[in-house]
Each structure stands twice: as C-alpha cells, then as structure tokens.
Amino acid sequence: MTDPKPEVLQGTLDLMVIKTLDAMGPQHGYGIARRIEQISDNTLSLNQGTIYASLVRLQQRGWISASWGVSDNNRKAKFYELTKAGRKQLAAEIKSWERTSAIIGRMLRLTE
Amino acid sequence: MLSQIRSLLSKVAALARREQIADDFEEEVRVHLALLTAEYERRGMSPDAAARAARLEFGGVTQIREQNRAQWGFQWIETLGQDLRHAARLMRRNPGFTLIAVLTLSVGIGLNTVVFTAYESVALRPLAVREPGGVLRLMNWFESGYRDDEIARAEYEFLKTNARSFSEVAASSAPLRVLARGAVSAEGEVVVARLVSGNYFGLLGVAPDLGRTFNPEEDATAQPVAVISHRFWKRRFLSDPQILGRTLLLNGAPITFIGVAPESFAGTGSPPEIPDLWVPLGMEQQIAMKSGIPTQILARRKAATSQRQVDSELQTLQSRIQELPVDPEGKRGKIRKITANQATYFDSTGGGFEAFQWVIAGLMAAVTAVLLIGCVNLVNLLLARAAARQREIAVRCALGAGRGRIIRQLCTESALLGLLGGAGGLAISIVLCRYLANTLATELAIFGTGADSLFVDASPSLAVFAYTALVSIAAGVLVGLVPARLAARRDANSAIKQETSEQLGGRSRMRSFLIAAQIAACVTLLVGAGLLGRGFLASAHVETGLDVEHSIIAMLPQAALGNNPQQRAARVAEVMRRLEAIPQICAAGRAFQLPMMGHSTAPFQPAGGSIRFESPEARSLFNNVSPGYFDALGIPLLRGRSFTQPEVDQHAAVAVVSEATAKRFWPGEDPLGKRLETPRGLRFGHIDGRTFTIIGVAKSVRSTNLSKVDDGYVYFPGSYDDAPVLLVRGSGLPATTIPLIRDAVMGVDRQSALQMTVIGIESGPIRLQRLMTEAPALVAAVLGLLALALAAVGIYGVVSYLVAQRTREIGVRMALGASKRQVLSLVFLEALRPVMWGVPFGLAGSAALSAVLSSMTVMVENPDPLFGVNPWSPETLIGVVGFLVFIVWLASWIPARRAMRVDPAAALRSE
C-alpha cells in the first residue's frame, strides 16, 4: 500500500494553473492538466476535469484569457493565456505562498 | 475587491452568450477526452479501454458540466426563467384571480405614483438647464425673519467681482407686466417680460430652439432685442418659423426677436411662472421705467468648489454686503445670512414649501394606507390559494425542492403580480396626473392667480419610473412572502395525505390580524374623509357677512395707467369719482388686502390693557382701507363711523376694529375713543409704532377665509399706493354692474378699460376658496371609499372562507335545531370579531388626525378646513363605525346565506 495521494486545495490549484501558464505560455486545458501531473510525478489526486472550474474562475477574475486555436496534433482546442493582471497576480500569489509555507514550516519545526 | 467586481461583470456579460459558452465547454471537454484517449492508446491500450480510462481520469463529465454552469451563474437565471414561466402559466389559468390582484395593486400603486409624481415634479426635479446641480439661486435672510430673493443690484455687482466660488453670476428680474403693441395686436396686450443679464442663457447653458440668445454686449449697450418663450411663440405666433427679426412695441419702443427659448425652459423664477419674453437687463429703463431694479441672482458654482465652500465664502462676504450702500434708511434691516442653494422649480426654503410637504406627507400616508389595504386583500387571496396548492407544494418538497426554492418560486409569482400591477399603476398615474395638471391649470387660471403661466410638468420622469418599480416589487414580494413562508413550513408528508386541519388555526389568526389592520387604516381614512366632507357640506351654506352677490373686484392694469405714480393715482381717483356718480353703484372702495385673496397679520395692544404684543391674543388681521371699503363690501358698521378722505390722505391716527377685536381688547367696555398701539417694524401703511384712536366698530365677517369668521380685525386708513384695485358694490348683479364699471374706466383711459380684470367676489375669490375646500374633501372621500371597498372585499373573502371551513359544523348545528337566525348571528359575530379589534387602533389613528387638523387652525390667518366642525365631535366617529359594521354585515350576509342552504345530511356525510 502506498501513501494516499494528497488532495489539492482550491486556491493551490489556481496558483498551479497560472504558474504553468507562466512557464509554458499559451496552453489548452489538457496540456495544463498533463503538466501539473508531470511536475507532481503523478502523486496528486486530481481529476483532470477539475481544472476547468479553476480555469473559469481565473477567466472571470480577468487573470487569464481564452481563445480557440490549433493544438500540436492539428486539433481545434481552446488555449488559455496569462494576462497582464494575471502575471501581477502570480507574483503576489507566489510571495504570499512563500510567506505562508515559511510560517507553516517554522510552526512544524517548533512543535517537533 | 476589484477582481470580485470584474468577476461579477464577466458573469453578467456571459448571460448574453450563455449558449455559446455552454457549446464551447462541450467542445472543450470533447477535445480534452480525445487527447487523453489518444494518450492512453499511445501507451498501448485498446480504443475501448483507453476511452474508459480517459473518462475515469477526467472525472464525472455531468458534474463538471453542472459546476461550470453554476460558476457562470446560469443556474440562477434559468431558475428565474422557470419560475417566471410557471408563474405566467398559473396566471393564465386563473384569469379572474389575476385580474383582481393586478387591478387592486394597480389602483394602490397608481395613487402612490400620482402623489410621488406631484412631489417629484415640484421638489426634486432639476431645472432644464445644463448641469442643474451647479446652478444656485441666492437668498438674503434678515434678522426680522423676512427673506428675499430679489436682491439689490449693488449686491449683484459685488458678488460678480468678489465671490470666488462662482464661475459666473447672472441676474434675472421679477416678471414685469408690460404693454405690447405691434406684432401681437393693434389694441395692444399685456405681456410678461423678465429682464436678464447678458450672460443669463450662457450661464444656464440653455440653447435656443430657434435663432440665438443674448451676448453680453447687447446687455451692456442696451440693445432692443428679445428672446421669446416657446409657449408665447406657440400661442401668439402659432409657432411661426419666420419669427426672427420681427419687432414688437414694448411700452412704445420697438424690440426685435432674436431667438425662441426651448419648450422645456421655464425660466428661473420660483414658482416657475414662464414669461413671454426675456429682454437684456440694460433695457430696464424702457421696460421697467426704472433703473437699478432688484433682481434674482443666479450663480454657477465652480466645478471644483463644494457647497460648503460656497456657504463659508458667503458667510465671509456677508459683513461687507451689509455695508453696501443699498439701504440708506436702514429699512431693510440686518442680514442674518445669505444662502445659495440649487435652483429648483419651487423654492424649497419657503413656508409654502413646508405646507406643501405636509400636504404631500398626509396624502402619502393616505394612499399608502390604501395600497396596504389592497395588499392585505391579496395576502388573504394568496393564503387561500396556498391552501388549495398545498398538495402541489408538498409534492415539490417531496421531490427534493428546498424550502428556499419554494419560497423563491412563490415570491416570483407575487413579484410578477406586483410588476403587472406597477405597469397598470403607472398607466393610471400618467392619465390621472395629466388630468389633474389640466384641471389645476384651468381651475386656478380663473382669476388673477397667475397660474395660467405656471410651468407644471407632471409627466413621469426616470425617478418616477424607478419609484414605481420599487413600490411594485416591494408590494409583490411583501404580498407573497407571508403565504410562501407558511406554505413552505408545512410538513410534506401530512400535506400529501391531505391532513389540513392543524395548520388552519394559525392561518386564520393571521387573517384576523390582517383584517384588524385593514379596519384600523379604514377607520382613520374614513374619519378624515368624514370630517372634511362635513366641512364641505358646511361650506355650502356659509354666510360671509359680506354682500358677495353684488360686490365686484376690478383690477386696473398698472402698466396701462402710465409710468408716473402721481399720474396713476390721479387716474384711479378720477375713476373712483366717476363710479361714485353712477346711481346704480352703491359704493366704491379700495384696500391693501382684497377680500378672500390675502391677509396681513401683526400683534396689536390696547393702550394700558392687559394684552401685550407678546401675548398670543394680540395677533390680529389688519388692513388698510379707503372710506368706502365697508360700504363697498356691505360690512355693517355697528358703532361709530368709517374714515374720511382727509384722514386717509393724512394717515390719521384713527382705526376701526371688528366686533371680535373690540370684545377681546376691551371686554364689557365701549371701544369708541379707546386707544390701540401698533408695534415697531411694520413695513407698510404708515402704522409703524403709533397709537390709534378707535372711531368705529365693524361687524365680524369672513373676509380672509371663507371657512371662518375673522378672529380679530383692525382697519387702518388706507395706503395702497401701487395697487390700482377697486372694490365696487352695485345695486344689481355683477352682470349689470360690470359694464358700468368698464364704461367709467373707458372714460378715463381706453387702454386700461380694455385690459382690466373685473369679477364678482362670489365667482372669483370665493369660488377659488370653495375649490380649496372641495378638493381635499373629494380626495379624502375617494380614498376613504376606495379603502372601504377594498376592506369590504377582504372581509367578504375571509368570511366566505371561514364559513366554507365550518360547513360541517353549521350542518350539525342546523340538524340539532339551530334557527337560521342563530346561524346568521354566528357568522356575523365571527366576521365582526377582527373588525372590533381593528376599531380601537383606527380610533387612535383618527385622534392623531383630529389633533393635526385642529392644530392647523390655531393661527388667525389660517383657513379652517372643517368650516367650524369640531374635529373631536363624536358624530363622525359613531357614523364611521356604524357604517363599517353595516358593511361587515353585508359582507358576511352572502356567505352566511350560503351556509344556511347547506343540507345537514350532506354536511354530515362529507366527513
């Protein structure tokens, strides 16, 4: 028996999506999902469909934009792209995430 | 925060293309699954296994689709759509119910909208100028309590150069009546002109419909040009497009038309009396025959300046303005403050405005009561319907609809009713407002009120639409909420099994409470209507004490009499002399205040008496009259004599008092020869701070208000320099006397005779006063009867329902030998119980109303809307309650008769 795969928190998934778009440039939903799985070495419990909730939320906030294009293997697909506001948000999210994880880390070390 | 707003906006934007978004999403999911399947196939799976694995990896497609739709907020709109469709279907299925509900709401909302429109068009509507919020009108307030918006020119010039918070300052004179000849008619007619500074139209940003407006040079160099009002253009020139360049002789001088003002522009006067023309202020010598006439001051506030900055600057400038050399005699008194508030159609700082607000508040309370009574009926109807729909609702609950969902659906239904009612109400209000505005214009235009030139725009504005929409939705939801909550509270299980009994107790308590509230509102409205109605009845056979049948008011046009005050006075004196020589004319007189058309009040004190200026009894009406005044109006002198002409000319220290004043100041004594002191600071009539000897006692009459005998009256020998108005009493009726007066004036001055206004006291001012009594009584009666009709319908509905519930019980009673009479009284008493609960609250409401009505008549000069009917008299209350009981009896009679026809055997079997 392996360890159960960790669940993904909602806000975390949003951060993962914009970071992926930042790193890879415009990408379709499948591509983003694959990338997140690869990075996590398939250790995350994530239905690929879940990603769409995140994509809609980010679009509504104006952090990403979507347009139809053609994928590598000549299929029509919707491509998502980070907007200027999204890039700014990413920087802010990273900073906030680092602060949070640093606090949690200190906390855990303290109680060890 | 920002991202939340953006998110909301994108959701709203998405609503329009929600099918596109849904299609896109389907496509996206299909592509995703295809890519994923291809990946699994690449890893060596069979196509079937790959597709299965892809679906597993992707997660529940349906759930994700639902989630997507929820994220875009489509569910919400779709539910609303469903609810609306369902509601519309139900309405079509019950056309009778829908019609009653919508009509009830329409009437209530319509009346509310009428009152709001009246308030909005008077108090809230901005002038039809560019950026009306920045256009301010100045007002001087004096220590004496007097206030004036006709301000000396020195102050205007001072503000123009010194006030920093205004970008521009303009002036506009009061309306001036001027004799015009030429383009209008050869005989000439009186037109109303306002003199305005050259920048007036520019400051307001009013562009002409035709031609152009003034430029400042035309004002500075006194060019004879005029902008004419749209109304005058239409009335006098039939909207002639060739009007520009034509001339008119104003006081004999030619003036050229250069532009036509837009129809929406009513000038800046308050009240909004539309002039016929605007002429540059530089022309004042020609038009007003004077120079340096006081004007209204208008200012445009600088864009970056706040109202507070304006106020504080005016406060700073006030002491310098006080020092301006406008008032060498110090008559004007000390300025308390100078204000500059947004210019509106009606001045919102005046006492008249306060009275208007009270009237509106009273009307608003009354029409809201009617609306609420109507709503209560609907609540009852909906309650009954909810009972009938219990099964439907229970089934919905059982199928998984949440309570909130059920309430929302029921509220959507009633909100739709509300909106339909609102649409009907708006239609009613538009028709009613137009009718009322027309009536007002024609009825008030009868005589010298100037109302014919008033600008009344009662068309609904955006604010009116918003108000109506708000009221309708509020009424709809309010009406739906109570039944919806009750319906949703029920336990699905028992409802499906049609166990109806246990909830009914609670529901009928609610109904009784609602009926009681209706009755309370009804009693208050009816008592109001009853009191005003009794006042109206009393007004029909009121004795004024004046010879109203034979007395006539003749107003000579000041402009036509000439520019020179001495010349004017001589001409009026000549007319008087000629009138007195005519045998069919018994008497002619003059007065500062005309009967039923105005009043002056001041405190007076008897020399050496106990009543001082400060005491409330000292306050009395007064007038300045000519020797013939008493005879011209037919007021009998009980003691002593009237004034003589030399006494009038010399402003002699003699006075005549009314019987009431004599009794109050010198009770039990002979008033002749007694002395009366007047206070300091009375501005006119040469009566300021003097002591007068009483030479006569006149009978107490109703000369100020038709509704009550003048509480106290002091007559001083006349001084009425400027107003060429004559009071004439003939031996025949006005129809025969009026031509005699015209002839007499014709002999002195032809123009004056053509232009003068002559009308009998009965058909002029008294008719106007009667109208002022009839209108409120009529409104109150209509509202009261409407409320009663609504309440009666409500009682009928509830009693029918109760009787239907108790059919079995009644059957049993009758089987056991109860008489029809006993059954009838059982039903009637049942119906009467909530009514009796409502009556005390209604009585409390009417007591408050009576207190308001009786407080209105405290001031000597105020009219008494009840014409002497005591607002506390029990007759009205007894009458109203008796009437209500009768209506309740009527409303319960029909259901009771139905109950008595019940066959006892059938009733027993139905269980």
Side-chain angles (χ1 to χ4, degrees):
Chain A
M1 247 336 262
T2 52
D3 283 346
K5 291 180 180 181
E7 298 277 339
V8 182
L9 294 168
Q10 197 189 60
T12 335
L13 183 58
D14 288 0
L15 178 55
M16 287 180 192
V17 170
I18 47 178
K19 179 61 204 168
T20 308
L21 287 175
D22 183 48
M24 298 176 70
Q27 194 52 256
H28 48 67
Y30 174 70
I32 300 168
R34 287 286 296 165
R35 171 78 174 180
I36 292 174
E37 279 179 356
Q38 281 163 8
I39 299 269
S40 70
D41 275 337
N42 292 319
T43 53
L44 277 177
S45 153
L46 175 71
N47 277 333
Q48 288 194 357
T50 327
I51 198 140
Y52 287 99
S54 181
L55 286 170
V56 170
R57 202 158 42 235
L58 293 169
Q59 267 185 88
Q60 285 174 343
R61 287 176 189 163
W63 294 340
I64 61 173
S65 62
S67 57
W68 287 95
V70 179
S71 74
D72 302 338
N73 42 7
N74 271 334
R75 276 174 184 278
K76 193 179 152 221
K78 203 175 204 175
F79 280 79
Y80 295 92
E81 193 175 356
L82 210 55
T83 63
K84 217 167 145 191
R87 230 174 284 286
K88 245 188 5 227
Q89 186 63 25
L90 175 63
E93 296 270 323
I94 289 174
K95 209 181 263 169
S96 130
W97 175 259
E98 277 168 354
R99 231 188 352 253
T100 314
S101 67
I103 292 167
I104 302 277
R106 262 209 304 276
M107 203 73 153
L108 296 179
R109 272 196 300 281
L110 261 178
T111 47
E112 254 169 14
Chain B
M1 188 61 209
L2 194 70
S3 69
Q4 275 164 348
I5 292 171
R6 190 177 298 166
S7 159
L8 186 72
L9 285 178
S10 80
K11 277 185 198 175
V12 172
L15 284 179
R17 34 180 207 100
R18 60 182 201 271
E19 287 192 3
Q20 175 70 42
I21 288 177
D23 286 351
D24 273 11
F25 184 72
E26 291 303 317
E27 177 65 16
E28 215 177 343
V29 170
R30 216 177 49 70
V31 171
H32 193 123
L33 285 174
L35 287 168
L36 202 54
T37 311
E39 171 68 21
Y40 279 119
E41 279 181 38
R42 203 174 52 78
R43 287 188 203 163
M45 285 194 185
S46 71
D48 274 359
R52 212 169 25 249
R55 273 200 299 278
L56 209 60
E57 167 84 52
F58 188 80
V61 174
T62 318
Q63 275 154 292
I64 288 169
R65 188 185 298 133
E66 282 302 313
Q67 194 186 10
N68 183 269
R69 286 158 49 78
Q71 265 187 312
W72 283 112
F74 297 159
Q75 223 158 13
W76 181 82
I77 196 95
E78 266 158 30
T79 323
L80 186 68
Q82 268 173 14
D83 284 352
L84 280 177
R85 273 194 299 279
H86 186 78
R89 221 166 25 237
L90 273 177
M91 280 185 176
R92 273 202 303 275
R93 212 185 299 152
N94 297 313
F97 170 82
T98 310
L99 192 71
I100 289 176
V102 169
L103 267 182
T104 309
L105 283 173
S106 292
V107 170
I109 294 172
L111 291 174
N112 256 277
T113 307
V114 168
V115 176
F116 181 78
T117 307
Y119 183 71
E120 196 266 348
S121 60
V122 167
L124 305 180
R125 202 164 291 192
L127 299 181
V129 299
R130 177 169 48 83
E131 291 165 34
V135 176
L136 311 177
R137 188 157 46 207
L138 273 88
M139 176 85 72
N140 281 348
W141 302 72
F142 298 96
E143 289 287 348
S144 57
Y146 181 68
R147 66 197 182 89
D148 206 349
D149 68 342
E150 296 210 346
I151 297 172
R153 288 283 270 290
E155 188 170 334
Y156 165 59
E157 299 295 342
F158 176 84
L159 286 170
K160 237 167 118 172
T161 43
N162 292 293
R164 309 239 167 280
S165 26
F166 305 137
S167 60
E168 212 166 346
V169 181
S172 164
S173 74
L176 300 161
R177 273 149 241 283
V178 191
L179 187 62
R181 267 181 250 249
V184 273
S185 67
E187 286 287 7
E189 74 170 61
V190 174
V191 298
V192 177
R194 275 181 192 270
L195 296 163
V196 296
S197 57
N199 60 348
Y200 178 77
F201 288 99
L203 179 147
L204 296 173
V206 170
D209 265 10
L210 213 62
R212 60 181 184 88
T213 57
F214 309 126
N215 55 50
E217 292 74 53
E218 278 167 329
D219 178 15
T221 58
Q223 293 302 308
V225 288
V227 171
I228 74 171
S229 72
H230 198 278
R231 191 178 282 200
F232 187 54
W233 180 51
K234 202 162 133 189
R235 191 186 72 216
R236 221 67 197 79
F237 300 100
L238 308 171
S239 304
D240 179 6
Q242 307 295 317
I243 181 80
L244 302 181
R246 287 176 68 180
T247 57
L248 187 71
L249 293 172
L250 282 191
N251 286 343
I255 292 236
T256 310
F257 297 137
I258 58 162
V260 177
E263 192 169 11
S264 59
F265 183 61
T268 46
S270 164
E273 203 183 328
I274 307 185
D276 298 324
L277 336 138
W278 288 272
V279 180
L281 191 55
M283 291 289 290
E284 64 182 330
Q285 190 60 51
Q286 187 63 41
I287 306 297
M289 320 283 181
K290 286 181 222 167
S291 58
I293 55 168
T295 61
Q296 189 184 61
I297 300 181
L298 297 156
R300 170 73 73 176
R301 191 175 57 211
K302 275 186 188 159
T305 310
S306 70
Q307 183 63 39
R308 186 171 301 176
Q309 281 168 300
V310 171
D311 293 342
S312 71
E313 181 175 24
L314 287 173
Q315 207 176 356
T316 327
L317 294 177
Q318 184 179 322
S319 57
R320 289 171 64 194
I321 288 172
Q322 179 74 55
E323 297 310 314
L324 291 173
V326 291
D327 182 30
E329 295 163 49
K331 261 189 179 170
R332 188 170 72 150
K334 197 165 158 28
I335 296 178
R336 185 161 57 88
K337 62 173 177 178
I338 301 169
T339 56
N341 292 322
Q342 187 188 339
T344 48
Y345 283 113
F346 290 84
D347 186 357
S348 58
T349 52
F353 187 74
E354 218 163 80
F356 171 74
Q357 277 178 319
W358 276 107
V359 170
I360 288 289
L363 278 175
M364 209 55 174
V367 294
T368 306
V370 171
L371 177 62
L372 286 179
I373 289 173
C375 283
V376 165
N377 276 1
L378 283 191
V379 170
N380 274 328
L381 273 174
L382 285 171
L383 275 174
R385 214 165 64 141
R389 284 173 66 184
Q390 272 169 16
R391 250 176 86 87
E392 176 208 326
I393 289 164
V395 169
R396 280 165 185 275
C397 284
L399 289 178
R403 254 191 83 199
R405 185 74 185 73
I406 298 272
I407 291 182
R408 212 166 97 190
Q409 192 215 318
L410 292 174
C411 280
T412 308
E413 283 175 36
S414 59
L416 189 64
L417 279 181
L419 279 178
L420 285 177
L426 202 61
I428 291 179
S429 81
I430 290 172
V431 172
L432 208 58
C433 276
R434 193 168 300 165
Y435 170 75
L436 287 176
N438 283 342
T439 314
L440 200 72
T442 48
E443 287 285 349
L444 290 187
I446 41 178
F447 175 60
T449 55
D452 43 345
S453 58
L454 266 193
F455 177 80
V456 182
D457 180 12
S459 56
S461 66
L462 210 60
V464 170
F465 285 120
Y467 174 82
T468 310
L470 206 73
V471 170
S472 344
I473 293 177
V477 171
L478 188 78
V479 157
L481 210 55
V482 178
R485 286 178 59 101
L486 276 176
R489 193 186 297 159
R490 285 187 50 87
D491 155 39
N493 198 14
S494 62
I496 292 179
K497 282 190 267 162
Q498 293 214 305
E499 289 165 8
T500 51
S501 51
E502 100 276 24
Q503 284 281 329
L504 282 169
R507 211 167 277 164
S508 67
R509 254 202 306 283
M510 165 68 85
R511 283 155 173 265
S512 300
F513 168 75
L514 291 176
I515 291 283
Q518 270 186 323
I519 293 298
C522 227
V523 167
T524 312
L525 278 175
L526 281 174
V527 167
L531 285 174
L532 290 172
R534 285 179 67 194
F536 169 62
L537 290 180
S539 79
H541 36 79
V542 74
E543 282 290 334
T544 56
L546 311 175
D547 189 353
V548 290
E549 260 175 65
H550 301 106
S551 293
I552 291 161
I553 297 179
M555 296 173 135
L556 303 182
Q558 197 161 341
L561 283 172
N563 310 337
N564 179 327
Q566 272 91 34
Q567 185 194 2
R568 276 206 300 268
R571 283 187 163 173
V572 175
E574 174 62 16
V575 171
M576 288 282 282
R577 208 182 51 71
R578 285 180 186 231
L579 284 175
E580 279 159 357
I582 301 172
Q584 293 96 321
I585 286 180
C586 310
R590 302 181 64 188
F592 184 77
Q593 294 293 358
L594 300 175
M596 309 282 176
M597 288 183 72
H599 59 259
S600 314
T601 62
F604 301 108
Q605 64 184 22
S610 59
I611 294 173
R612 313 301 305 165
F613 289 136
E614 306 78 47
S615 39
E617 305 96 299
R619 209 168 166 73
S620 171
L621 295 153
F622 72 95
N623 203 348
N624 300 77
V625 304
S626 77
Y629 176 83
F630 300 98
D631 209 4
L633 288 180
I635 301 175
L637 283 173
L638 304 174
R639 305 279 319 274
R641 58 172 179 93
S642 177
F643 309 114
T644 61
Q645 192 58 46
E647 279 170 341
V648 170
D649 294 339
Q650 292 151 21
H651 311 295
V654 289
V656 172
V657 292
S658 75
E659 213 182 342
T661 302
K663 275 205 184 111
R664 184 188 306 161
F665 286 178
W666 301 282
E669 292 177 65
D670 181 4
L672 292 189
K674 290 281 187 310
R675 294 164 72 77
L676 179 86
E677 291 166 359
T678 60
R680 295 212 139 267
L682 282 176
R683 292 196 314 142
F684 40 75
H686 303 274
I687 58 170
D688 172 46
R690 294 169 65 192
T691 302
F692 291 79
T693 306
I694 307 302
I695 57 163
V697 178
K699 191 166 182 260
S700 285
V701 292
R702 298 167 193 248
S703 74
T704 305
N705 290 300
L706 188 62
S707 56
K708 65 178 184 193
V709 174
D710 299 332
D711 211 14
Y713 215 116
V714 183
Y715 302 89
F716 297 102
S719 165
Y720 23 71
D721 346 286
D722 260 18
V725 181
L726 309 176
L727 299 164
V728 182
R729 184 162 65 91
S731 55
L733 292 175
T736 59
T737 317
I738 287 175
L740 297 175
I741 301 175
R742 256 185 219 288
D743 286 347
V745 178
M746 190 74 88
V748 176
D749 181 56
R750 195 178 149 68
Q751 267 313 321
S752 304
L754 288 171
Q755 290 173 31
M756 72 175 177
T757 315
V758 194
I759 196 156
I761 290 184
E762 174 72 57
S763 48
I766 290 189
R767 175 157 167 235
L768 208 64
Q769 287 223 356
R770 281 194 201 284
L771 204 71
M772 298 300 196
T773 320
E774 278 168 34
L778 192 70
V779 169
V782 167
L783 290 181
L785 289 178
L786 207 59
L788 183 65
L790 287 173
V793 170
I795 293 169
Y796 169 77
V798 169
V799 174
S800 310
Y801 182 78
L802 288 178
V803 168
Q805 290 297 316
R806 293 175 68 175
T807 307
R808 197 173 69 93
E809 182 200 331
I810 292 170
V812 172
R813 279 173 190 266
M814 288 180 68
L816 291 177
S819 70
K820 291 196 166 194
R821 217 197 147 109
Q822 279 167 322
V823 172
L824 199 68
S825 69
L826 176 83
V827 173
F828 180 58
L829 288 177
E830 185 76 32
L832 206 59
R833 200 183 306 147
V835 173
M836 285 304 134
W837 272 110
V839 166
F841 291 98
L843 292 186
S846 25
L849 194 71
S850 298
V852 170
L853 285 174
S854 50
S855 74
M856 276 168 71
T857 55
V858 167
M859 300 297 273
V860 282
E861 67 269 28
N862 281 4
D864 172 8
L866 304 185
F867 276 76
V869 171
N870 178 6
W872 302 102
S873 69
E875 290 98 314
T876 319
L877 290 180
I878 294 169
V880 163
V881 173
F883 188 46
L884 262 179
V885 171
F886 171 69
I887 292 292
V888 170
W889 178 78
L890 215 62
S892 55
W893 188 61
I894 301 167
R897 270 192 39 165
R898 201 182 307 138
M900 283 183 300
R901 277 203 298 271
V902 169
D903 174 9
L908 287 173
R909 227 179 294 126
S910 82
E911 184 63 1

